[in-house]
Every structure is written in C-alpha cells, then in structure tokens.
Amino acid sequence: MSKLPSKRAETLGGYIVHGIPFPVDTDTESLAFLKRLAPLQIEQDYKITYLHSYGQDSPWFAALSNKKLLANREPESSYTYATPRGHDIYSGAETEWIDITDRQAQVHAFTVCHFGSEEFLPETPFVLALVEFEDVDTLLLTRLMGLNPDDASLDWIGMTVIPKFLRNSQLKPTDVYFVPKMN
Amino acid sequence: MRPVYAISGGVSKFAKARPDKNFQAIVMEAYDYAINDIGLDFPTFTSLVDGSVASYFSDHFSRQLMAAIMAQDYLGLIPKPSHRVEGGGATGGICFQEAWKSVASGHMDICVAYGFETMSHVETWKGNEFIALASDVSFDYPVGGFYSGYYAMMVTRHMKEFGTTVEQMASVSVKNHINAYHNPYAQKRNRYTIQDVRNSVMVAWPLTRLDICVMSDGAAATILVSEDGLRRLEGAGATIPRPLVEVTGIGRGTDAMRMSDRPHFDYDFFIQNYATEQERNSGETRAYYRRLWDHGTRYPGVHSFRAGRTAGNMAYQMAGIFDPLDELDFIELHDAYTSSEIQTYEDLGLCRYGEGGSFAESGKAYMPDIDYGLELTAEPQCPVNPSGGLIACGHPVGATGLMQAVFAIWQLQGTIEQHFGDNTLQVNNARRGAIHSHAGTGTYVTVSILEKQD
C-alpha cells in the first residue's frame, strides 16, 4: 500500500478565498481587532432523495392513476374519510375502501396562493381548496383549476366541482384536481 | 404539584438575520439577561440551577441535529439534566410547560427554559418549504404546501361562516404593529393603517404581507423555581421582585395534522365538550349557538381551533377563571396571522365563536392611551399582544412561546419600563395574564396562566 501524500490537494472543492482581513501580528492587542470582524458566511448544499412509502394509503394513489377517487369508510358507523385513513379515529377499526369518484362535491374553503414554498413558486398563482363530498365526513385538500385567480371571491365557497385526473400519473395527490362543474 | 414561580426572563433582539453570532451565543444573550436581572453572576447561577428544557422547532433551518445540546454546552449547563422539546409553532409554549412540570413535580427546584431559532440561513421561500413540511407529506404538502395558504383557507371559511371581514383582520395588524412601536425587542416597529395592510402584497388571498408574521433569528429564556429554589437563589444573593409571579394554570390541546380531517360536531356535542364554563352557563349564549348551528355551523371545522379551546378551558379550570375577558389583564397570543388572532379570541373565550371579527375592531383588545388611528367603539378591557405579538416582534419559532412568557413576567412584575425603556406598554395593575402558543394549523396549542401573588 502506498503512503498517503503529505499534503492535501488544494482543489477538492469548497471555497477558495483570498485576502480575508486579518491582523499581521498575533499579539493579544492585535487579535482584539477580531472582535470587530464581520461574520464569515458560506453556502452549504443539502440535497436528499427519500424513498417515501404511502404504506396502507397506497391504493388511493393507485386509484388516481386509474381515474378513480377512493375514500375510507368505517364499516360499522360508515364514518367516511375523503383523505385516506387506515383506522377510524373513534372506533380504532380498520377502514374499508369505497369509490367516491362520482359523488357530488363542492368547495368548502379555498385560497389563491400568489406566493408559495420554493418548490411551488413556479406554479403561482394557484388555487388551493378543501373540497367536501356528499355523505363524506371529512374533506380533501386539492387544487382548483379553471378559475381566474384575480376573481377570488367568497362566492367560490359552495361551488359544485368535479374531479379531473392527470393522464400520466405522478403518484402524487395532485394526480387529481377539481374544476367547476359546468351546468 | 407544588407552586411554581416564573422569576426572570430574557429575550434577544429578534431580527431578520443574526449572522454576527451562532445560535448558541444568541441563546446566551437571553440567558445572561435573565440571570443578570436577578442580580446573580454566571458561575453562581450555574452552581445553583438544577437543569433545563430546550426548545427549537426545526433541524432543517440550522442544518444541525441535536442543536439543543450545543446550546446546553455553551450555557455551561452540562452535565445537568436537560431535554429538547419540539411541537411546531407551540414549541416554546410546550417548553415553558415542561419546565413548569419539572419544578411542580419536585424533580427540580430551579429550571431554565430556553429556546431559539435561526431561520435566516435559508431564503424565505425555502424557509416556507421547511415549515410546510410540518404538514402531511403524503396528502397536504405535495398539493402546494404553504402555511399562509393553509391559514388563508381557514379564514375564507371563517369569513363565509361568520361574516368576518378583511378590514377586521387588518385592524389586528395595525394594533400589533403600533404596540411594537414601543417594544425595542420587536423586529417590525411600524405604524400602519388598515389601508396599508390591505394594499400590501397579496400573499394568499385574502391574507396580505402585513397579515402575516415574519421569520426571525432569536432566542428567549425564563427561569422557573419552587419555593426551595427561591430560597436557594436568594441565599446566594439573588434579588427577586415581590410580589412573585406564579404559574397558576397550564393547559394543552391537540388536533389532527390534516385540516381536512377536522370533525364537524353537532350543537349538543359542542356544548357538552367544548363550550367554556361561562358559555355553558349562559342561556343567551346557548341560544346564540343554537342559531349558528341551525344556520349550518359545525365545530370545529376548519374555521376554529379546538386544540386552542381545549387548552384554554384546561388552563382556566386550573387557575379558577370563569370569565377570561374580565379576569385576565392581558394576553400574549400566537398571532402568526391576523386571522388566527381573531380565531384565537374565540377559542380563548374572549368572545363567542363567530364574534371574533367584531371583537377585533371593537377596541377591547387594545392598549389604553395609544392612538391607533382607528375608530374604536369599546374601551380597552384585556389588551391582546401588548408586545406586538408575532406579527411585529417576529417568530423565531423555538423562542416565540418563551418570549411571550418573558413579556408576561415583566408585565406582572411591573417592570416593562425597566426592560423596554418605555412605559407605554405596561398594563396598569396587571395581576393575571395568559400566554398562548400554537402549532401547525392548530395541532398543538398551549395556554399558561401567570399570576401576581397577592
């Protein structure tokens, strides 16, 4: 085995800086100047790829890719969750899957995001909405399309909407979105 | 449980960015202030304190896991016991209560609660992304995760349900910014009008830039003690103001992470499980709620925070409070959004559900003797966020709930002028106050009652 070089290479990446102010002398009096040194700031990258499992909620995403919107229902009470939940909050019982694709749906609450988290900034403005479904006890967070963001109005609440599905599934909750139902 | 006293506190200046110091040194600013305020030096206090509870929200912001132990180390508190707590925006409030538990249980006689956040290390919109990761990453975040968007959705429902207006929300921003004008610790000390708030940049309809708190770098610390701890500190030369400030009530509530999962309870269930004692005992209020339910209101839905109502009711019961508006002299509450301050008025029983908007503009939550440039119809009764709240002070998450505790201690000690250099924000004869810390879309909420001893 060959011996390691006695010096680290100077081109391994990171920062190459020149001429940061520093006292010529390093006696206590000269070093006291360092208390007035502006902070040094560097950039640090942080990028991770996660392998995220949808676990017991996976069928919901599989359904979206087949243009179906599922919900979970407690078998005894029929309490129904528009956003999947494997076990009922009240009985603790395992829930079953039901199809709510054709249920009547309407806007329960909404906003127009003119800004957003960095990942979604390129998509602004976009409309976020909580949608309620006939005979379903909880709501679904989704995107509303087909509306003019500049016309935001409380009148949008109660608007009847219908689901649309991406032709090419991304296995994300945005595989389904909603648009106003045309009369 | 035995009596617990909040004897001192310190807050770093909250700022957009503090690159001049790392987070440990910013915590030390607040910690040193709290120690110095009782007249002790660092080594003496270190020799007496039993342990600590540390608070910060996000490992992402500092890109540092176990940051709390680094603060513990820097403060010279090792090897004393400590643990870090995390509960979103309520992290600071939870920290305060965990320190209370450490003392009330007899585990410690002197416990320091310290908290911090340095949010300036990433750009604002990346910071919003980190915060949005505190929503379900399977079903909420990927749809367009953005907390301002979540709160905007909640308030559109509040507006639709109860007729709350954007001007009523803006009045909260005016109040809190003008209060902060007199608070040197605040990040934003500006005088705005309702028109200024409405004309500022639209972030998430109907919330504008001035309806929303800002990200900050900052720290806060409080010292909690038992009677034995008090004697130990005073035996070592500490000067602790009398009358003492006692923590007389704590309450905490939780709710589903996903707003979409919030239930919609009927009238009877609401009255039985969530109405305040005052509401339950008022036939007129029960009739008012019956009319709301007949009109379609359900509870909590996405317009109300039952975690906040749960926390408030629990704390009020422990402290013996029946009519919070009348029996509290001030409240420092978690106004991350003007809308959430209005929602919280209702959760805390300052007014009934549905009346938060009119309460906001009435003047009851304002400071006396400050000109807000608004036409207020009622006399100030219980100032809310006399410090300026999160909207004006800033929101370095892990520090925020503790900042509220520090300001509450100073209010009850009557030392606001000493600490602020300005007496304007001193609540006259403040005897009892509440602090309220709130996470997520209402997932964890803490309410603590602090009271000046007779």
Side-chain angles (χ1 to χ4, degrees), chain A residues 7-179:
Chain A
K7 289 181 69 175
R8 287 188 70 221
E10 295 283 359
T11 55
L12 288 174
Y15 277 73
I16 300 170
V17 293
H18 306 276
I20 289 179
F22 200 81
V24 174
D25 302 316
T26 55
D27 58 281
T28 303
E29 189 178 343
S30 298
L31 291 180
F33 161 81
L34 294 177
K35 292 283 184 186
R36 298 167 60 194
L37 182 69
L40 302 175
Q41 296 174 278
I42 64 167
E43 291 182 6
Q44 294 177 323
D45 284 334
Y46 190 41
K47 187 174 185 302
I48 316 157
T49 299
Y50 285 93
L51 186 61
H52 180 72
S53 172
Y54 288 125
Q56 75 281 3
D57 300 326
S58 297
W60 191 79
F61 294 90
L64 295 186
S65 67
N66 287 281
K67 298 183 173 45
K68 291 290 181 187
L69 183 61
L70 298 186
N72 280 132
R73 183 174 62 190
E74 206 276 358
E76 291 289 318
S77 69
S78 293
Y79 194 89
T80 305
Y81 299 89
T83 311
R85 187 179 173 106
H87 290 80
D88 180 64
I89 194 169
Y90 302 108
S91 69
E94 199 168 332
T95 55
E96 60 192 5
W97 291 105
I98 60 168
D99 183 355
I100 61 165
T101 313
D102 297 323
R103 296 273 180 102
Q104 185 169 321
Q106 60 183 40
V107 175
H108 184 83
F110 78 96
T111 183
V112 179
C113 291
H114 294 272
F115 291 87
S117 297
E118 187 177 272
E119 181 178 345
F120 306 107
L121 269 182
E123 299 171 34
T124 58
F126 57 84
V127 180
L128 283 180
L130 288 160
V131 170
E132 59 183 64
F133 300 86
E134 188 179 15
D135 296 328
V136 173
D137 296 282
T138 70
L139 308 171
L140 179 69
L141 178 65
T142 191
R143 292 276 189 102
L144 281 188
M145 302 300 289
L147 294 164
N148 183 345
D150 293 332
D151 293 340
S153 155
L154 292 180
D155 292 339
W156 288 3
I157 294 177
M159 177 196 305
T160 303
V161 290
I162 55 172
K164 294 280 186 180
F165 298 89
L166 288 187
R167 194 168 58 245
N168 298 310
S169 166
Q170 298 177 321
L171 289 180
K172 290 182 177 179
T174 42
D175 284 355
V176 65
Y177 57 94
F178 287 73
V179 297

Side-chain angles (χ1 to χ4, degrees), chain A residues 39 84 111 114 117 119 139 143, chain B residues 129 141 143 145 203 205 258 260:
Chain A
T111 183
H114 294 272
S117 297
E119 181 178 345
L139 308 171
R143 292 276 189 102
Chain B
E129 192 175 301
Y141 175 79
V143 180
V203 176
W205 192 90
R258 304 186 301 213
S260 54

Side-chain angles (χ1 to χ4, degrees), chain B residues 360-376:
Chain B
E361 64 184 0
S362 71
K364 289 180 182 174
Y366 289 66
M367 288 291 291
D369 306 323
I370 291 181
D371 179 10
Y372 293 95
L374 300 171
E375 289 188 19
L376 305 174

